[in-house]
Amino acid sequence: KGTKTRSSLEISSTIDAVGGEMNAFTSKEVTCFYTRVLDTSVPQAIEVLVDMITSATITSVDVDQERQVVLEEIAMRDDDPADLVHEQFSRALYGDAPLGRSILGTVENISNLSRRSIHGFYRKYYTPDRLVVSVAGNIDHATVVKLVRTAFNKGGFDLAGMQAPFVPVKSKTKVNHSGGFVKHNKTTEQANLVIGVPGLDRTDERRYIQSVFNAALGGGMSSRLFMEVREKRGLAYSVHSWTDKYPDTGYFAVQAGVE
């Protein structure tokens, strides 16, 4: 929404002016800010991106405005059965553990979040030892390191010396191994189904085998699921399998949308 030196319009227009794009996303484990520009515009991109990460103002007005945006995002999720069924599955598998909760949060939590709590989280967790910077393309490594270091120093982040890497703690998430069935009733044209099982964590050496299995079962247009369910029987337009891996757990699932 803005930094100490840039408004939200200045942030976006700086990247737009060089033909680039910029966005951010939150997953179950990380928040990622990214930009894609021509190699000649890397210095501007790094400066703007790091400015956002180190110097966000997070005003009360911006928090209240974004609060409504997130509530609309929750409503949009609830209107999309293909999205909602994923969240139902995660809750059935992981319960009230963090991995079982929605990334968006709940209407109650979003409605009650204060600027103070958000800013406190920002200051506590957006620290050098928790940040990973990744750059790919027609760039020179030493030049990029210098640009990143300069930008972070300008934002008040001291990157002098070697920082200890942030290592996530394996939380030993409790997984539902006993099975179950979760149903969410809503008047829509289709029923969206997810069937899944506990899988492998991302350090398991068998994860490569699982990836090959996933590709064969439902990972593409030549997969068993696609060919049998869609091409041969015409039962569904959307059918696929996928796998998610975390530090201490994972799952394997298939999804289809049908009448």
Side-chain angles (χ1 to χ4, degrees):
K1 290 294 184 180
T3 69
K4 297 174 183 177
T5 58
R6 290 181 174 90
S7 66
S8 59
L9 177 59
E10 288 171 331
I11 290 171
S12 56
S13 61
T14 300
I15 301 300
D16 287 347
V18 295
E21 63 171 312
M22 179 172 58
N23 212 327
F25 66 85
T26 301
S27 72
K28 293 280 187 179
E29 296 181 303
V30 301
T31 299
C32 176
F33 302 82
Y34 67 91
T35 181
R36 182 184 290 111
V37 296
L38 294 173
D39 53 2
T40 53
S41 301
V42 168
Q44 297 101 304
I46 290 176
E47 183 182 351
V48 171
L49 210 59
V50 173
D51 185 33
M52 288 169 50
I53 293 168
T54 60
S55 304
T57 49
I58 313 180
T59 67
S60 296
V61 172
D62 288 337
V63 167
D64 289 336
Q65 186 179 40
E66 192 65 19
R67 187 195 318 278
Q68 186 58 41
V69 172
V70 177
L71 290 174
E72 290 293 344
E73 193 175 2
I74 292 175
M76 183 172 66
R77 185 275 317 275
D78 290 344
D79 281 342
D80 189 338
D83 280 350
L84 191 58
V85 72
H86 280 85
E87 303 220 336
Q88 296 289 326
F89 172 71
S90 293
R91 180 164 290 278
L93 188 64
Y94 296 125
D96 194 41
L99 289 178
R101 301 173 196 157
S102 169
I103 295 171
L104 291 172
T106 66
V107 171
E108 180 182 8
N109 286 343
I110 298 301
S111 299
N112 294 323
L113 271 177
S114 67
R115 186 266 177 189
R116 181 179 180 181
S117 63
I118 295 173
H119 188 262
F121 180 94
Y122 168 61
R123 284 302 177 196
K124 180 178 180 179
Y125 291 106
Y126 280 55
T127 55
D129 59 317
R130 290 175 176 266
L131 292 172
V132 173
V133 179
S134 176
V135 185
N138 184 30
I139 46 91
D140 174 71
H141 178 78
T143 301
V144 168
V145 170
K146 184 177 180 180
L147 289 170
V148 169
R149 189 179 297 278
T150 299
F152 273 102
N153 286 341
K154 184 178 179 181
F157 278 42
D158 184 12
L159 301 185
M162 294 296 293
Q163 293 286 346
F166 171 62
V167 179
V169 176
K170 289 198 173 187
S171 59
K172 297 183 179 178
T173 302
K174 292 183 179 179
V175 181
N176 176 11
H177 288 280
S178 60
F181 177 70
V182 176
K183 182 173 67 171
H184 179 82
N185 290 321
K186 191 161 188 172
T187 304
T188 57
E189 295 297 323
Q190 282 190 317
N192 282 262
L193 315 172
V194 169
I195 303 173
V197 295
L200 308 176
D201 66 51
R202 65 165 167 249
T203 62
D204 195 306
E205 292 184 357
R206 296 171 295 169
R207 66 189 183 277
Y208 304 109
I209 301 172
Q210 186 183 56
S211 294
V212 174
F213 171 72
N214 176 62
L217 180 65
M221 294 178 68
S222 64
S223 66
R224 304 295 195 277
L225 276 174
F226 192 94
M227 294 304 296
E228 184 71 22
V229 175
R230 175 168 162 167
E231 295 297 288
K232 183 178 178 180
R233 305 193 184 202
L235 295 176
Y237 172 79
S238 174
V239 57
H240 67 281
S241 66
W242 81 101
T243 176
D244 259 354
K245 305 178 190 69
Y246 304 108
D248 57 346
T249 183
Y251 67 81
F252 182 88
V254 300
Q255 178 182 4
V258 297
E259 285 188 337

